[in-house]
Amino acid sequence: MDPTLRRQWEPDLRAALTGLYGDRGDEVATRLIGSATDAAAQRPDRLRARDAARLADPDWHQSNRRVGYMAYLDRFAGDLRGVANRIPYLTELGVDVVHFLSVMEPRRGENDGGYAVRDYLRPDPRLGTPTDLDAAIDALHDHDISLCLDFVLNHTADDHEWAVAARAGSAYHQGLYRLFADRAEPDRWDEHLPEVFPNLAPGNFTWCDELDRWVWTTFREFQWDLNYENPDVLVEVCEIALSLANRGVDILRLDAIAFSWKRMGTNCQNQPEAHLIAQALRATLAMAAPATILLAEAIVGPRDLVGYLGRHEHERRECELGYHNQLMVQGWSMLATGRADLATRALSQLPDPPGRATWFTYVRCHDDIGWAIDDADAAAVGLSGQAHREFLAAFFRGDFPTSFARGLPFGTNTEVGDERTSGMTTTLAGVADALDRDDPAALDWAIRRIGLLYAIAFGYGGIPIVYMGDELGQTDDTEWRDDPERRADSRWAHRPAFDDDLAGRRHDAESIAGRVWATIGHLVETRRSCRHLDDTDATSRPFDTGHPAVFGWRRRSPRHGELIGVANVGDVPASIAPPINVEPGVRDLLDPTADLVWQLPPLTVRWVAAPGPLPPTPAPPS
Ligand code: GLC
Ligand code: GLC
């Protein structure tokens, strides 16, 4: 192991482990340093070269050249060998980071879309062999595409070898999970635990006959939560992470990290120890595989979000990337209401990510949308949080007079008044509705809504992610209801197979596919030529544009200057007072032909670069 890296990261590792395990922390540190030393020794040369390049350019993930794409590998490429065939398509779109889902061997039978993992180190045999995986990774790397893979570290599948051994009586393996002889403890935990899948898998515990025990199962009944109070779990998990890094995975997506630590009397999400787990993982990997970074999948309320990027009382190295679910939720909320005030308020409350970290910005992903509207943010603009969440669920389900959306409910829990939403971007933005009604004007609006949300995601800062199919205006899958294994989970509506016919029409400017493709392609190009969107040391903050329908944000980059983003989320034209001086030559980067950059047609976004040096930064709100 590189002694410099060890010197640099060992203190972080020890601090995290002491926080987790007290006096036993040092012993765990010794084990993890041993694992990292072995991994460093086994690291292939081509990855050492990647390490060196990234140590020389530690902000590679913050560059405005980064554009992400996420897809189920089988639905996009067929199998691992098919990945190489799709590279020209990705390159044409301008993508250089891919997140492939459900790559490692999942549970037999139902597997929560690949999130019940049977073997973390072996690809799904239906997709190919380990050699095929290596070849796919090499092909991506040869084309300068970085790979993000899921690391499902909160739970294993119930047919993972640890679970199998636990059922066969191995005390070591039983200790990796959270097992209970009777309902006494589960009942006490349940008093404070919400249900993630209230309809698919009510409750948080599952009885296992063979074990004669209750098993903690936060998600589905076949996803067994790991017990991080047992340091063996952390060591096993870090060793898997090291192996994945040595395969060439560039970004490990820490699935459901917010759920990893349980504390009695709480909802068992976002516990301080969940951060220590991520920090320990961060430090261990950094010693052996510095090219690999971490993405937090913490789809949590705005107040809990930035902690996963290392923003605590004292800044700490944690994940380099995190999903900006608040920006995503606020984007949809603005489209539903035509108002910018809630988004402005909620996003200004978020602390800035620390310098080394940034967001994954997105419009849709493979999951449902949880309407993470904070009560205090809603109250600050005169709304009731609960009523607004219910409104959004109803609006995007299509049950509201002005709604253009045709989404589906997910996880409806009438007891607590919660409902999330499924559906492709097109479905939620009005394409499906316009097509049903055969209404070309409505279709125009719908396509503009897609453009608007993607222009915010591409211009806010962070790595923007295109969700497979969105670039082609693809609509919901039509077959999921026929499959008994998928029927009960409406998230399958927005997990269609890649549509080669649509892709074939992407250059046809008259088709929906062609129009959306051109819109997203334009964002990619503009972003790449706009150094203001380099995220190194840059921050984005919303500002009050003075117009109720215009959402504005200000990006400040000490190196590249200031960029103003403005989005008219309403359906009539809007003018705002210039947030910066309009000198001759100030142009909307997205539409350089627009003369009056502060007059916005409906559903239009502008990125306006301010010339000259930066004025001093105003203090963030306390
Ligand atoms: C994450 C995944 C989701 C999965 C859950 C449980 O939220 O994105 O698809 O159901 O974790 O693993
Ligand atoms: C995770 C996410 C939650 C999502 C769920 C899967 O729990 O935190 O937002 O809804 O997985 O659908």
Side-chain angles (χ1 to χ4, degrees):
M1 176 193 309
D2 178 337
T4 317
L5 289 176
R6 174 164 177 179
R7 250 197 323 277
Q8 194 183 336
W9 288 95
E10 190 173 336
D12 282 25
L13 180 64
R14 290 194 183 274
L17 295 173
T18 305
L20 285 168
Y21 305 118
D23 290 346
R24 287 178 305 166
D26 273 331
E27 172 217 316
V28 185
T30 308
R31 289 171 68 189
L32 284 178
I33 290 168
S35 309
T37 308
D38 294 345
Q42 287 154 18
R43 191 144 171 90
D45 285 339
R46 64 189 165 87
L47 296 179
R48 286 179 207 265
R50 238 171 146 70
D51 291 338
R54 284 184 173 162
L55 286 170
D57 176 23
D59 294 325
W60 65 275
H61 59 291
Q62 312 234 39
S63 159
N64 56 302
R65 300 201 57 79
R66 301 290 85 83
V67 173
Y69 190 79
M70 71 181 288
Y72 273 94
L73 192 141
D74 61 338
R75 314 209 123 218
F76 177 57
D79 58 19
L80 285 162
R81 291 185 176 201
V83 168
N85 301 332
R86 289 294 188 204
I87 289 177
Y89 178 85
L90 293 171
T91 310
E92 184 187 331
L93 186 57
V95 165
D96 67 359
V97 175
V98 286
H99 171 200
F100 283 142
L101 291 92
S102 203
V103 175
M104 294 308 179
E105 186 176 5
R107 178 181 188 270
R108 304 278 156 84
E110 275 192 82
N111 55 46
D112 189 28
Y115 287 94
V117 180
R118 176 187 166 100
D119 188 334
Y120 290 92
L121 298 177
R122 211 171 83 108
D124 184 341
R126 290 167 298 190
L127 297 176
T129 63
T131 316
D132 295 331
L133 176 61
D134 292 340
I137 295 177
D138 285 347
L140 291 169
H141 286 176
D142 287 346
H143 290 84
D144 287 326
I145 299 175
S146 298
L147 175 66
C148 170
L149 283 190
D150 284 293
F151 186 32
V152 185
L153 79 174
N154 175 68
H155 45 265
T156 73
D158 63 359
D159 63 356
H160 185 277
E161 62 180 5
W162 300 343
V164 173
R167 277 197 300 271
S170 153
Y172 174 82
H173 294 96
Q174 290 177 3
L176 303 180
Y177 297 100
R178 290 180 166 269
L179 310 176
F180 307 92
D182 56 45
R183 279 299 307 185
E185 253 206 78
D187 284 343
R188 286 206 295 139
W189 290 101
D190 256 341
E191 276 173 43
H192 303 275
L193 287 174
E195 292 172 310
V196 180
F197 296 142
N199 330 98
L200 293 169
N204 286 279
F205 301 90
T206 301
W207 177 255
C208 174
D209 271 338
E210 287 152 284
L211 279 170
D212 201 25
R213 294 270 187 287
W214 290 92
V215 185
W216 193 309
T217 54
T218 300
F219 295 89
R220 294 293 300 270
E221 64 284 6
F222 47 76
Q223 291 164 302
W224 288 17
D225 286 52
L226 290 165
N227 176 15
Y228 280 88
E229 273 177 62
N230 174 356
D232 292 337
V233 169
L234 186 71
V235 174
E236 295 269 14
V237 161
C238 287
E239 286 177 353
I240 295 171
L242 288 164
S243 301
L244 290 172
N246 272 358
R247 280 318 260 272
V249 179
D250 299 283
I251 304 176
L252 281 177
R253 175 187 177 278
L254 305 187
D255 184 65
I257 179 72
F259 295 84
S260 55
W261 192 271
K262 330 289 187 197
R263 171 170 282 109
M264 184 63 89
T266 74
N267 67 359
C268 299
Q269 292 178 42
N270 307 310
Q271 296 303 306
E273 290 84 353
H275 294 286
L276 298 176
I277 291 168
Q279 287 161 25
L281 201 51
R282 171 61 292 160
T284 307
L285 274 171
M287 290 183 195
T292 302
I293 61 172
L294 302 180
L295 162 65
E297 195 256 342
I299 310 302
V300 300
R303 284 168 220 277
D304 291 312
L305 196 51
V306 190
Y308 292 92
L309 299 178
R311 173 73 69 215
H312 303 279
E313 216 168 294
H314 302 286
E315 199 176 298
R316 287 180 260 138
R317 290 290 192 91
E318 203 164 320
C319 298
E320 283 80 3
L321 296 164
Y323 285 83
H324 204 330
N325 74 306
Q326 191 56 208
L327 185 67
M328 182 274 293
V329 162
Q330 294 296 344
W332 288 108
S333 168
M334 286 194 283
L335 283 186
T337 58
R339 281 171 58 168
D341 53 354
L342 177 59
T344 307
R345 154 80 198 193
L347 292 163
S348 352
Q349 294 298 302
L350 279 187
D352 296 328
R356 278 285 154 79
T358 192
W359 301 108
F360 247 41
T361 55
Y362 66 117
V363 174
R364 281 304 283 118
C365 73
H366 71 294
D367 275 330
D368 48 290
I369 303 178
W371 297 110
I373 301 292
D374 180 81
D375 286 335
D377 291 338
V381 298
L383 296 172
S384 140
Q386 180 61 27
H388 189 57
R389 289 188 292 272
E390 284 174 21
F391 159 74
L392 291 170
F395 187 95
F396 286 103
R397 191 194 321 124
D399 290 337
F400 199 81
T402 58
S403 182
F404 44 76
R406 291 285 181 87
L408 294 168
F410 181 84
T412 311
N413 187 338
T414 39
E415 225 166 277
V416 299
D418 186 45
E419 180 177 300
R420 285 124 67 187
T421 301
S422 287
M424 289 294 282
T425 298
T426 47
T427 309
L428 303 181
V431 172
D433 179 63
L435 290 177
D436 277 357
R437 295 195 285 120
D438 200 11
D439 180 342
L443 184 61
D444 283 348
W445 286 101
I447 291 177
R448 297 178 78 135
R449 289 187 196 104
I450 298 174
L452 180 133
L453 292 183
Y454 268 97
I456 295 175
F458 269 72
Y460 202 80
I463 304 183
I465 308 300
V466 178
Y467 181 57
M468 188 200 90
D470 275 4
E471 76 280 16
L472 298 169
Q474 189 168 353
T475 46
D476 285 1
D477 187 39
T478 48
E479 285 161 18
W480 64 280
R481 283 187 213 267
D482 302 332
D483 177 350
E485 280 192 6
R486 294 187 284 160
R487 186 181 297 153
D489 185 341
S490 68
R491 288 177 297 170
W492 287 103
H494 52 259
R495 297 170 180 175
F498 186 77
D499 185 335
D500 279 296
D501 288 339
L502 270 188
R505 288 200 283 275
R506 69 186 181 278
H507 302 302
D508 167 5
E510 304 294 308
S511 69
I512 298 176
R515 291 166 69 185
V516 180
W517 177 268
T519 304
I520 293 187
H522 180 58
L523 291 171
V524 173
E525 260 172 55
T526 313
R527 173 180 157 82
R528 289 209 155 161
S529 61
C530 176
R531 297 302 308 267
H532 299 78
L533 289 171
D534 182 296
D535 227 45
T536 310
D537 301 323
T539 56
S540 284
R541 299 225 133 253
F543 67 93
D544 182 359
T545 64
H547 191 295
V550 181
F551 173 66
W553 70 98
R554 214 179 262 282
R555 278 190 62 73
R556 295 167 157 268
S557 155
R559 299 201 216 172
H560 307 298
E562 186 173 25
L563 181 88
I564 303 286
V566 278
N568 178 0
V569 301
D571 51 12
V572 293
S575 293
I576 59 166
I580 49 172
N581 287 335
V582 193
E583 294 167 23
V586 169
R587 284 273 169 261
D588 173 10
L589 302 175
L590 289 170
D591 178 9
T593 65
D595 274 338
L596 301 164
V597 293
W598 310 119
Q599 288 185 14
L600 293 109
L603 301 177
T604 299
V605 177
R606 298 203 195 285
W607 297 350
V608 183
L614 275 184
T617 313
S622 50

